Amino acid sequence: MHSPAGIRFSDLIAPPRASAAPAIDRAADGAKRLSPACLCTASRENFLSRVVESDRHRIAPDGDWRRPRRLTRPLDWTCAADAWHAMSKQADDAALSDGAPAAVVSLVRWLQQDGEGIAAPADASPGVPPSPSRHAAACESSEDDEILLRGGRIFTNDPDQPWCDALLVRGRRIVAAGTGEALAMQVRPGARVVELAGRTVIPGFNDAHMHHTPDPTGVRLPIDHSSSWDEAHARIAEACAAAPPGTWIFGTMSEAVTNARDATRTVLDRIAPKHPVILLGITNHTNVVNTEAMRRLGIDDRAPDPVGGWFERVPPYGRLNGRIHEYAQWAPQRCFASMASVEEGAASLRTLGAECLRLGITTLQNMSWTPVRRYVQMLDAAALPIRVRVIRFPPSGPAGRLVHEDIDVGAPASPLVTVEGTKWILDGTWVERGAALGRGYADAPWQTGRENFSRAEIMQMLAESLRSGEHLLLHAIGTATIESVLCCLEAFEPPVDWKQSGFRLEHGDGFTDVQMARARRLGVLVVQNPSHFVLAGQYASRFGTGTRYASFGSLFANGMDVAIGSDGPLNPFLGIWAATTHPANPEEAVDRETAVAAYTWGSAVAEGLQAEKGRLAPGYLADLAVLSADIFSVPAERLPGIESQLTMVDGRIAYESPVR
């Protein structure tokens, strides 16, 4: 995971050609040149010993949160397992007898004894969905298929015709919008007619910013945003008492635990001396690990800080205290996420897909901690009936950013899945006081936040995006970080049309009015996350009264393009409620039509597909949701309870509520 900047990991561990053994030697030689952050960088002997050790705890789930879920097949645990899989499958007796080390012989023979095989195709395992090829065929709508939806209140999001009461869908696209009576005359024999009975229809929600990452095998702690450090202590102790030594224990920390100064490796070691523990920050900008987790994740006390991140150390000797920040926790967290097998990831994705359809979400734009290649494998196995844009989320190492990681993934099996765009994190968040404000925090004036990358590095990110044609997403929350981004955008000569380039700024909570005006001139699109606005007290305490924060309505007022992503609770109706009430700063609230438009067409703009999605107009893809209540008129407190009663993706009805 810590390969030198500009070197692709796939170049270091290319699959074998003529013989397995020489390729394994090349893989190991390449791996030795890297810092050990994952099993993919381990020596052959260390790799084998660690995966065999991990295979000791096969425990069936019994519904008790303290018991680990089923064990993933351990060779699926590495973030670059493809090369090992290819080697094991291509190795034969001739190759093995050609001087391969004893550890490799043992590894291959162990694999050969596994009836399923480590990299078995999806159809080979029970409970795995249909193969990607069958899914791809199923997703193809015939151009002759027709569906007429009529008798509803349809919000088209089309400025030329904002509302209608009927839509005609042919194949994948909408061919007409108007009245039911007029469109009925265009329907061919055999078309399906959906009677809307006055229900509200909107374009399918497009979640522009989320971080779905399947859990690996282990015990997920039942701690949440309100849990105290003492409560987390108790839960970890319970898990250790119930789960065998060596079982992973993990959970998402609350704001209080994230910022607890005694949430350290030393304390975790006392509670869990024999279990690897990783506590993930509520914002995923600060994690805490114990010594056993450090050993499993390849974190050494002598590890140098990576570019864009840092380890907290105990003076005077520099021993790591287990608190790791920003890009220091990127590689370990990705290593941890990679421990989920393809089958486990597919199961998690199927659950996610079903929930999306129930909520009227037809597109996800996901930045997973799971490495892109592995995540695409999970998507191929899951065969979801919704659209997924996989956005690269690379780590960094002491030598720099891994700019080439997963750049050559190839085409996913499903036509509904794309891999496009790269995201970099320029600062933290206000929750852990990591967003760079350019001044002291109101509740901790000695803290100002921190920018992860210099302006020179930001310029490189922008230049890389322009050269590759890939969309660039930059996380920037604090006012000082936003200023750095704007200065870099303005520095290009000749000036660049950043809107045309697909550039996005994620969050932007600390925008000033002057910065908004500059961002509009530059063509900056902002992806905001209204679900964050429910943390009203934390916003006020961090930013202080009398200052602008949690910008939303003012973005629209300044003429900027705005999209919405969840970056938290998936429910888009909760997001609409937060956008239209804005508990943190009511003056920044917007009306419901504006919020729905941002969550649909605005998010399509954020992926460069505004001519394809986000509107219910002729020529647009037929992605839509028929709602259980009128999102534009129900009392605000009822918004989070709305669901979709019929969800259409790519011209196909992908979900219908059992009771309509």
Side-chain angles (χ1 to χ4, degrees):
M1 302 261 307
H2 290 292
S3 64
I7 297 179
R8 291 181 298 181
F9 198 94
S10 57
D11 291 338
L12 297 176
I13 53 172
R17 295 180 181 175
S19 168
I24 294 174
D25 289 336
R26 289 195 300 273
D29 290 342
K32 288 176 183 176
R33 296 197 294 268
L34 308 178
S35 300
C38 180
L39 288 184
C40 64
T41 65
S43 68
R44 293 172 297 222
E45 291 77 11
N46 191 21
F47 180 90
L48 180 61
S49 66
R50 287 165 70 181
V51 297
V52 170
E53 173 189 357
S54 302
D55 197 30
R56 293 175 181 163
H57 313 297
R58 293 184 179 274
I59 298 177
D62 58 8
D64 185 343
W65 68 265
R66 295 167 298 181
R67 310 299 289 181
R69 294 177 295 108
R70 75 174 179 85
L71 184 73
T72 177
R73 290 175 294 189
L75 287 188
D76 278 341
W77 285 22
T78 77
C79 64
D82 288 346
W84 293 101
H85 293 172
M87 294 173 206
S88 66
K89 288 192 291 184
Q90 294 188 23
D92 54 25
D93 290 340
L96 290 176
S97 63
D98 191 23
V104 177
V105 175
S106 300
L107 170 61
V108 174
R109 287 179 178 166
W110 181 66
L111 291 171
Q112 291 170 342
Q113 292 171 1
D114 185 349
E116 291 184 32
I118 292 303
D123 290 342
S125 300
V128 175
S131 67
S133 59
R134 291 207 303 271
H135 169 64
C139 288
E140 294 174 0
S141 299
S142 168
E143 291 302 319
D144 294 329
D145 291 345
E146 280 194 348
I147 300 176
L148 174 65
L149 300 95
R150 66 183 181 187
R153 186 167 183 259
I154 301 173
F155 176 65
T156 69
N157 225 0
D158 180 0
D160 296 330
Q161 185 184 8
W163 297 89
C164 66
D165 64 24
L167 294 173
L168 180 59
V169 175
R170 185 172 298 145
R172 305 170 60 212
R173 298 183 183 272
I174 297 165
V175 295
T179 66
E181 182 178 348
L183 297 190
M185 307 204 37
Q186 302 180 36
V187 173
R188 299 168 180 170
R192 176 174 177 179
V193 177
V194 176
E195 301 292 351
L196 297 172
R199 293 182 178 87
T200 298
V201 181
I202 63 172
F205 286 112
N206 183 335
D207 191 330
H209 183 124
M210 67 171 307
H211 297 284
H212 172 257
T213 301
D215 284 346
T217 294
V219 178
R220 176 172 275 279
L221 301 167
I223 54 178
D224 57 27
H225 68 277
S226 62
S227 298
S228 67
W229 186 213
D230 288 342
E231 290 171 322
H233 272 216
R235 294 299 194 188
I236 295 169
E238 285 184 70
C240 290
T247 302
W248 273 100
I249 296 171
F250 55 95
T252 300
M253 298 184 289
S254 65
E255 181 270 338
V257 177
T258 299
N259 292 315
R261 298 308 305 166
D262 60 340
T264 64
R265 163 189 179 181
T266 301
V267 174
L268 290 179
D269 283 350
R270 286 201 298 265
I271 308 170
K274 298 180 179 179
H275 295 75
V277 179
I278 180 169
L279 300 180
L280 311 171
I282 189 173
T283 62
N284 270 324
H285 288 258
T286 292
N287 291 346
V288 184
V289 292
N290 70 348
T291 298
E292 181 62 13
M294 287 175 57
R295 187 180 72 82
R296 295 285 190 91
L297 298 173
I299 306 173
D300 189 271
D301 270 318
R302 297 164 298 177
D305 289 346
V307 173
W310 69 99
F311 298 98
E312 285 192 23
R313 303 174 191 269
V314 179
Y317 303 110
R319 176 180 183 269
L320 305 189
N321 75 356
R323 294 179 63 83
I324 52 181
H325 303 280
E326 299 300 328
Y327 277 86
Q329 54 93 6
W330 246 246
Q333 185 163 331
R334 286 160 59 84
C335 176
F336 176 70
S338 296
M339 294 178 185
S341 70
V342 171
E343 290 84 356
E344 287 174 319
S348 177
L349 279 163
R350 286 194 296 271
T351 300
L352 174 67
E355 186 71 357
C356 286
L357 292 175
R358 185 181 67 82
L359 294 171
I361 301 170
T362 56
T363 297
L364 296 175
Q365 300 183 49
N366 193 48
M367 311 145 202
S368 181
W369 292 104
T370 306
V372 169
R373 190 177 302 276
R374 170 62 61 82
Y375 197 74
V376 170
Q377 291 173 342
M378 294 172 174
L379 283 165
D380 286 347
L384 298 185
I386 63 173
R387 303 183 193 278
V388 181
R389 178 193 184 190
V390 181
I391 298 169
R392 296 179 184 87
F393 202 19
S396 74
R401 296 175 295 114
L402 273 68
V403 297
H404 292 301
E405 191 202 58
D406 282 335
I407 205 72
D408 55 351
V409 169
S414 170
L416 299 181
V417 176
T418 59
V419 179
E420 200 285 326
T422 300
K423 180 184 178 185
W424 297 102
I425 306 291
L426 302 188
D427 64 355
T429 80
W430 41 268
V431 173
E432 73 284 351
R433 302 184 185 86
L437 299 187
R439 59 175 176 80
Y441 277 82
D443 57 353
W446 58 91
Q447 292 184 261
T448 61
R450 175 169 173 168
E451 295 186 57
N452 294 337
F453 297 101
S454 67
R455 291 188 180 183
E457 191 72 45
I458 296 172
M459 292 290 288
Q460 289 183 13
M461 296 172 186
L462 294 166
E464 291 159 4
S465 171
L466 294 175
R467 284 196 301 270
S468 68
E470 287 271 314
H471 290 183
L472 178 64
L473 297 74
L474 295 181
H475 162 118
I477 289 182
T479 305
T481 313
I482 294 171
E483 182 66 21
S484 290
V485 173
L486 295 177
C487 287
C488 290
L489 294 173
E490 292 168 336
F492 274 75
E493 291 291 345
V496 173
D497 184 343
W498 294 109
K499 181 174 183 177
Q500 185 66 28
S501 79
F503 174 79
R504 291 169 41 166
L505 191 145
E506 310 296 298
H507 312 300
D509 286 332
F511 261 115
T512 67
D513 287 331
V514 172
Q515 288 176 332
M516 285 185 210
R518 291 164 63 195
R520 179 186 58 77
R521 289 194 299 269
L522 289 163
V524 173
L525 178 143
V526 175
V527 178
Q528 250 295 11
N529 315 104
S531 63
H532 297 178
F533 302 161
V534 301
L535 302 174
Q538 291 180 14
Y539 268 113
S541 64
R542 297 289 194 270
F543 284 88
T545 59
T547 63
R548 182 187 294 284
Y549 55 82
S551 303
F552 194 61
S554 55
L555 299 174
F556 295 95
N558 277 274
M560 297 179 65
D561 288 330
V562 182
I564 292 178
S566 58
D567 198 31
L570 182 65
N571 188 346
F573 303 100
L574 174 64
I576 297 296
W577 171 82
T580 54
T581 60
H582 206 309
N585 193 352
E587 293 181 358
E588 289 285 332
V590 299
D591 63 74
R592 295 187 190 180
E593 285 190 19
T594 298
V596 171
Y599 223 141
T600 54
W601 189 75
S603 294
V605 176
E607 57 177 331
L609 295 176
Q610 60 269 31
E612 292 277 306
K613 298 194 293 185
R615 287 178 174 164
L616 301 180
Y620 279 77
L621 292 166
D623 295 358
L624 57 84
V626 180
L627 305 184
S628 61
D630 184 4
I631 193 172
F632 302 104
S633 64
V634 298
E637 63 272 14
R638 287 183 53 197
L639 280 168
I642 297 177
E643 296 182 355
S644 175
Q645 295 193 316
L646 181 150
T647 305
M648 181 179 289
V649 182
D650 211 40
R652 297 174 58 86
I653 295 176
Y655 168 81
E656 290 185 86
S657 172
V659 179
R660 291 186 56 212

